[in-house]
Amino acid sequence: MIFNIPLALSCLALSIYQTAQACQFHDLEAAASTPRKIAIKNVRVFDGYTLRPSGTVIINGAVIGDEGDECGAEIIDGQNGTLMPGLIDIHAHPANISHLETLSQFGVTTVVVEACFVPAACRSLQNHTGLTDVILGSTPAAAPNSVHGNITAAVLGANTTLLVHNASQAVSWVDEQVAWGPAFIKLIAETPGLDQQTLSALVLAAQAREMRTVCHINAFGAMQQAIAARNEQIHHAPLDKPPTAEMVSQMAIQNQISVPTLTIMKAIASSSGHTITPGTNFSVALETVRRFHEAHIPVLAGSDANQQPGLVAMVPFGSSLHGELQLLVDAGLEPVQALRAATSRAAHYWDLRDRGVIAPGKRADLVLVHGDPTVDISATRNLARVWLGGVEWTQGLGTF
Ligand SMILES: *[C@@H]1O[C@H](CO)[C@@H](O)[C@H](O)[C@H]1NC(C)=O
Ligand SMILES: *[C@@H]1O[C@H](CO)[C@@H](O)[C@H](O)[C@H]1NC(C)=O
Ligand SMILES: *[C@@H]1O[C@H](CO)[C@@H](O)[C@H](O)[C@H]1NC(C)=O
Ligand SMILES: *[C@@H]1O[C@H](CO)[C@@H](O)[C@H](O)[C@H]1NC(C)=O
Ligand SMILES: *[C@@H]1O[C@H](CO)[C@@H](O)[C@H](O)[C@H]1NC(C)=O
Ligand SMILES: *[C@@H]1O[C@H](CO)[C@@H](O)[C@H](O)[C@H]1NC(C)=O
Ligand SMILES: *[C@@H]1O[C@H](CO)[C@@H](O)[C@H](O)[C@H]1NC(C)=O
Ligand SMILES: [Zn+2]
């Protein structure tokens, strides 16, 4: 009897006779053991690299299915929208599940937590099915009595073993962090702060452990230090003076990349919308990105979203990444380049090989929007549906 034929084989036979309904009988029978399958039809596909013509994308359980393998799939009409990979926010500070829910609502399916002070609290954000996936960074390496050192001291009380006093402490400090399992080492370049020798020693110690380094900078001088220390990634952008041509070419030669977090730089430069904070000029941050882009230095999307009162500026989760894409376009990226900065390129430079693109076998992190963000970046805001690891977000999408 046909009902005893294994599912795949019967589907093959049935597709020849084009009896989709009989195929669904089988799907019901096998539903308990077979992952849910969805065929999203009538969508143009930004696959992480480029826009493909109208077609169909299959979700098979937690991953993207093979093209054409629609047997037993529930059909969703994408209504000529654009399907794109879930967005990746490379720089944010979610601290609880509500923050992850907000990220999910806005189609941010992966977030990199840029500072973990209490490993157990950070780990509690990881691996929740149907919620934004979380990648954790180390405690930031900061000097005693620096702005960030004081933040560490405020969070951890009198226990300052996590502060870095000098270069001879670099190896043990990095080893202590590596021991709890962060995905990268976070360093802080600031004035006053870690001296060049200490910053460079921390980078070498991290590299010896095969750990990526991400260095915070907020000004020209800090950026010089971060470049000289050969950090793999330089986060934020200066507000005082853009990098010189020499600095930019040194970054290119050293394969250093940028996550400018224009959103928070703009928030810092313009408090309460009108007043300009003295000594800060947001055009400098835009000009920095323009120079990087011109020199083919990879620029990734990060918002610095956080809801921590007392820190430089509060930035909302999720919606801010869409704003960041707009700011990257303002700084000279084409809309597709901005989209890649939050999808395929972000995944590439973070070795997230299972995501960031729409291709068979990749995580089914997907965002469906009305309109075409490859032409008009603001179309990413017209959210229609979001899937996280194949699970649709059904608790209401973010609006602007
Ligand atoms: C989450 O999953 C990743 C990848 O499987 C694993 O490395 C990590 O330890 C998990 N974290 C928790 C808190 O379960
Ligand atoms: C950090 O805190 C110490 C002690 O309160 C203070 O003396 C120092 O000025 C602070 N550092 C900065 C950069 O604000
Ligand atoms: C201080 O922090 C370190 C690193 O997290 C930890 O191993 C140590 O137990 C803490 N000491 C105290 C007194 O809390
Ligand atoms: C480095 O800092 C540690 C911790 O404060 C201190 O014990 C050590 O003497 C310092 N080493 C040098 C070479 O200054
Ligand atoms: C702000 O920065 C831009 C870009 O570097 C520069 O052209 C402009 O003169 C600066 N404005 C002020 C007020 O310094
Ligand atoms: C998460 O933190 C925010 C403050 O940023 C707070 O309003 C909210 O209640 C917290 N949610 C949970 C579930 O703890
Ligand atoms: C589909 O959407 C694109 C871009 O938004 C538009 O140019 C095209 O006319 C639409 N096609 C149909 C059949 O609606
Ligand atoms: Zn940050």
Side-chain angles (χ1 to χ4, degrees):
M1 287 299 295
I2 191 162
F3 292 117
N4 292 330
I5 302 170
L7 183 65
L9 185 57
S10 71
C11 280
L12 184 63
L14 289 163
S15 71
I16 292 165
Y17 297 107
Q18 297 185 322
T19 53
Q21 209 179 350
C23 180
Q24 278 171 11
F25 277 136
H26 250 288
D27 196 51
L28 282 178
E29 202 175 68
S33 56
T34 313
R36 186 156 172 241
K37 206 192 265 187
I38 297 164
I40 308 166
K41 291 187 161 286
N42 188 25
V43 281
R44 279 152 314 128
V45 178
F46 173 73
D47 62 8
Y49 304 106
T50 188
L51 188 71
R52 291 199 237 135
S54 194
T56 299
V57 170
I58 312 291
I59 297 177
N60 194 353
V63 299
I64 294 167
D66 291 331
E67 231 164 287
D69 178 22
E70 292 177 31
C71 181
E74 177 193 323
I75 308 292
I76 286 176
D77 180 3
Q79 299 179 324
N80 190 36
T82 304
L83 191 68
M84 51 185 199
L87 300 172
I88 301 173
D89 190 338
I90 290 299
H91 192 125
H93 300 275
N96 67 31
I97 296 290
S98 314
H99 299 155
L100 297 186
E101 288 170 346
T102 309
L103 287 162
S104 300
Q105 275 170 20
F106 282 95
V108 178
T109 55
T110 301
V111 66
V112 180
V113 176
E114 284 291 336
C116 281
F117 293 97
V118 183
C122 290
R123 280 205 206 92
S124 75
L125 300 176
Q126 284 189 304
N127 303 349
H128 295 280
T129 303
L131 208 52
T132 302
D133 198 38
V134 171
I135 292 160
L136 301 178
S138 73
T139 299
N145 294 318
S146 63
V147 168
H148 283 81
N150 283 359
I151 293 171
T152 301
V155 173
L156 298 176
N159 187 354
T160 52
T161 65
L162 290 172
L163 296 174
V164 183
H165 296 81
N166 54 48
S168 58
Q169 208 187 330
V171 170
S172 61
W173 188 90
V174 166
D175 283 353
E176 189 183 328
Q177 291 297 312
V178 169
W180 73 260
F184 63 98
I185 295 293
K186 179 76 181 286
L187 307 174
I188 306 291
E190 61 187 335
T191 312
L194 300 170
D195 61 23
Q196 186 67 57
Q197 197 193 359
T198 305
L199 197 63
S200 299
L202 285 162
V203 172
L204 285 176
Q207 286 172 349
R209 296 284 178 219
E210 296 186 334
M211 295 293 281
R212 166 176 297 126
T213 59
V214 166
C215 191
H216 160 110
I217 62 109
N218 63 355
F220 181 85
M223 187 170 217
Q224 283 181 307
Q225 281 199 316
I227 295 170
R230 295 177 178 252
N231 282 280
E232 191 172 324
Q233 300 197 6
I234 296 178
H235 284 210
H236 311 304
L239 289 171
D240 54 348
K241 207 167 112 183
T244 63
E246 289 70 28
M247 287 160 74
V248 173
S249 64
Q250 198 184 351
M251 278 181 69
I253 289 164
Q254 295 178 172
N255 294 316
Q256 291 168 304
I257 74 171
S258 163
V259 182
T261 67
L262 293 170
T263 303
I264 199 161
M265 301 327 291
K266 189 174 184 182
I268 293 168
S270 55
S271 49
S272 64
H274 301 288
T275 340
I276 305 296
T277 307
T280 65
N281 175 358
F282 179 58
S283 302
V284 169
L286 285 174
E287 173 62 15
T288 299
V289 173
R290 200 190 63 71
R291 291 182 187 186
F292 286 161
H293 185 53
E294 196 177 67
H296 305 292
I297 288 172
V299 172
L300 306 182
S303 62
D304 210 356
N306 75 84
Q307 292 295 301
Q308 288 162 297
L311 290 194
V312 275
M314 282 208 259
V315 168
F317 289 101
S319 57
S320 58
L321 192 65
H322 296 262
E324 184 72 15
L325 297 180
Q326 179 68 62
L327 290 172
L328 291 173
V329 169
D330 293 349
L333 274 71
E334 298 291 333
V336 285
Q337 294 170 329
L339 291 171
R340 287 176 198 144
T343 57
S344 59
R345 273 202 139 179
H348 173 79
Y349 285 103
W350 279 79
D351 281 322
L352 303 170
R353 293 179 193 178
D354 61 347
R355 68 192 76 185
V357 299
I358 298 181
K362 301 294 181 184
R363 272 175 70 98
D365 290 340
L366 295 165
V367 176
L368 178 63
V369 300
H370 301 298
D372 185 354
T374 68
V375 174
D376 174 3
I377 195 67
S378 70
T380 63
R381 297 167 192 227
N382 306 327
L383 296 159
R385 288 181 180 238
V386 170
W387 288 267
L388 303 110
V391 178
E392 183 166 6
W393 179 262
T394 56
Q395 298 164 62
L397 293 172
T399 53
F400 290 83

